[in-house]
Amino acid sequence: MNTQPVNSKAITTWSAILALLTWFAIGLQFYLSINAYMAKGRTLGGAVVEFFSFFTIESNILVAFGLTAVALGGFNKGFFSRASVLTATAVYITIVCLVYNLVLRSGYNPQGWDRVVNELLHAICPPLFILFWLVCVPKQGITYKGALPWLWFPFFYMVYVLVRGAIYWIYPYFFMNATIFGYPRVALNCLMLMVVFLAFDMLFVWLAKLMAKHRAA
């Protein structure tokens, strides 16, 4: 039996709708954030850099690119529509969703459109993409060894945050703020996060293998 989900009109439509929703959320967050940063005296360039320095934004952009690629060409027709890349993206956005809702939500209370876009990026688009991965994305060919390179993205993100923070004293997340906690504590926090990423990499590979085996039965 074929283990790949059928690249049907329904999947194309679903991926297109989710892509539009995610791009809308990113665009709205960009508009709101840039205006808020510049109102505080930031330059346009500084505001743009600050916006793209959040792992939430970068992960949602990967989600939007992946969904757009699937909507336009189907699975495995380009880099972002590869099953392995979509699975790595599912890992990243899962951790975004969990970290925000379990760790960060209590300290942030946005209002108005800020609240709307915050929910879209942290509590609506991520679960919808995870569901898309579970139902639609092909699972065969996803291996434990192949999942190890997925760690490079969060690793280089953390390096970027620490280097930028050392220069400008600006950190997007409090648990990575070396000015407050010092580098030993932040290094431990980063190591723990990398372990979490590795654990979720392995979890998603296990799920992929389980689902591929079930479809083949």
Side-chain angles (χ1 to χ4, degrees), residues 25-26 28-29 32 113-122:
I26 295 168
L28 179 58
Q29 184 66 80
L32 295 172
W113 282 107
D114 287 301
R115 182 175 183 179
V116 172
V117 74
N118 186 66
E119 295 302 320
L120 283 171
L121 293 173
H122 294 103

Side-chain angles (χ1 to χ4, degrees), residues 30-206:
F30 181 84
Y31 172 79
L32 295 172
S33 295
I34 297 303
N35 280 279
Y37 292 142
M38 294 185 69
K40 295 178 181 179
R42 302 289 294 275
T43 64
L44 176 59
V48 171
V49 170
E50 183 73 11
F51 174 79
F52 287 106
S53 292
F54 284 87
F55 194 79
T56 293
I57 298 301
E58 296 181 3
S59 296
N60 274 281
I61 288 174
L62 287 176
V63 167
F65 272 122
L67 291 168
T68 302
V70 172
L72 294 177
F75 295 111
N76 297 312
K77 301 298 184 181
F79 177 78
F80 290 105
S81 64
R82 293 177 186 172
S84 60
V85 175
L86 291 167
T87 305
T89 301
V91 171
Y92 305 148
I93 206 65
T94 297
I95 293 177
V96 164
C97 183
L98 291 175
V99 169
Y100 178 80
N101 287 289
L102 296 178
V103 179
L104 302 176
R105 178 178 286 278
S106 61
Y108 187 52
N109 186 33
Q111 302 297 321
W113 282 107
D114 287 301
R115 182 175 183 179
V116 172
V117 74
N118 186 66
E119 295 302 320
L120 283 171
L121 293 173
H122 294 103
I124 297 176
C125 292
L128 287 175
F129 182 77
I130 295 165
L131 181 61
F132 174 82
W133 180 84
L134 287 169
V135 175
C136 301
V137 175
K139 305 299 190 300
Q140 76 269 31
I142 298 174
T143 64
Y144 291 107
K145 182 179 179 181
L148 294 178
W150 302 349
L151 295 171
W152 284 117
F153 177 60
F155 173 77
F156 283 119
Y157 173 79
M158 293 176 193
V159 171
Y160 161 75
V161 167
L162 293 177
V163 171
R164 179 171 177 262
I167 297 172
Y168 297 106
W169 294 7
I170 298 175
Y171 298 87
Y173 302 105
F174 77 89
F175 50 82
M176 298 185 71
N177 193 325
T179 303
I180 296 175
F181 296 110
Y183 284 104
R185 172 65 182 277
V186 169
L188 179 60
N189 290 344
C190 289
L191 177 61
M192 292 173 62
L193 271 174
M194 290 301 296
V195 171
V196 170
F197 274 102
L198 177 61
F200 273 87
D201 284 355
M202 298 301 103
L203 173 62
F204 270 76
V205 173
W206 177 77

